[in-house]
Amino acid sequence: RNQQPDSALAAFQKVLSLNPKDSMALLYSINILNGQQRYDSALVYTDQGIKYYPGNETFLMKRAITLENKKDFAAAALAADSVVKINGNAVNTDYHEYLESKTLKNQFGLYYLNSSYDYSDNKYNIATVEYRRFIKRGSYALRLNYAGRQTGNGLQGEAEMYYTHSSKLYSYGLVAYSNKVVFPQLRASYS
């Protein structure tokens, strides 16, 4: 509470030296170590909690969360699956499916946008086909947009990339080119 996690961690370690099964000391230690991004140390405590409390949903969930923080999505999904076997509620199932999706590398999408404006009876529809590939440091996507208008059919190709440089810095870039019938001919962005 006094924003002194290192002192708290030392106090929890003293508690655990006297009583290695103290569940609250184990949980608080895991939380502090996750907050400090010391995931390997946090996993030691999750394993200790699972050893003393086998089948405990809380320690299994802490293991899944720690492995997710560590970006070991396959192991995190396996731990989350153990949680679902104990308690298959919607939240646990969704979390497991989310972690499973993080292990996938290729994604294919079809989108359809149906829009209109208050001041016009015209409908503006855009259909999109997308391929996205997840890489270790982010993802890239290629998209093809199609829009039919009274003036003709518009096609636009897009290339998009998310790239993580470090834990605090990432980039996003987009380049699009079209036949200039519906979409602007060139569009680019970076942040």
Side-chain angles (χ1 to χ4, degrees), residues 12-188:
F12 290 130
Q13 287 173 344
K14 286 181 186 176
V15 170
L16 290 170
S17 68
L18 299 172
N19 180 10
K21 294 183 178 183
D22 189 302
S23 62
M24 295 310 290
L26 288 167
L27 288 171
Y28 283 125
S29 297
I30 294 165
N31 291 341
I32 290 170
L33 291 166
N34 270 328
Q36 295 175 340
Q37 298 180 351
R38 295 170 52 195
Y39 306 125
D40 290 330
S41 298
L43 285 172
V44 170
Y45 288 107
T46 62
D47 291 344
Q48 189 174 339
I50 292 167
K51 175 182 149 191
Y52 292 127
Y53 303 98
N56 181 284
E57 181 181 344
T58 304
F59 284 111
L60 288 168
M61 185 60 83
K62 289 291 183 185
R63 179 169 177 73
I65 291 168
T66 304
L67 289 165
E68 178 191 8
N69 290 340
K70 196 176 173 183
K71 305 227 183 293
D72 187 351
F73 298 114
L78 191 61
D81 184 52
S82 299
V83 175
V84 169
K85 288 177 182 170
I86 294 168
N87 181 358
N89 66 24
V91 172
N92 292 344
T93 302
D94 286 348
Y95 183 59
H96 172 253
E97 289 174 357
Y98 162 75
L99 292 172
E100 280 283 321
S101 75
K102 296 293 253 175
T103 65
L104 304 175
K105 301 291 182 205
N106 297 303
Q107 194 175 71
F108 178 74
L110 295 170
Y111 308 99
Y112 180 74
L113 174 65
N114 184 12
S115 62
S116 63
Y117 295 97
D118 290 340
Y119 56 83
S120 170
D121 290 335
N122 294 336
K123 300 277 189 237
Y124 296 95
N125 306 317
I126 300 173
T128 302
V129 176
E130 176 185 86
Y131 167 74
R132 182 172 299 274
R133 171 81 177 167
F134 291 93
I135 57 176
K136 185 173 182 160
R137 294 193 164 265
S139 69
Y140 63 86
L142 302 171
R143 269 191 292 283
L144 180 64
N145 300 316
Y146 169 81
R149 302 284 191 273
Q150 293 173 348
T151 57
N153 296 328
L155 287 173
Q156 180 185 53
E158 291 181 299
E160 173 185 74
M161 180 153 205
Y162 287 92
Y163 189 80
T164 303
H165 301 282
S166 69
S167 62
K168 296 182 192 234
L169 182 65
Y170 75 94
S171 293
Y172 168 78
L174 174 94
V175 176
Y177 184 79
S178 79
N179 62 354
K180 204 175 171 184
V181 174
V182 176
F183 303 101
Q185 184 172 17
L186 184 62
R187 187 170 60 127

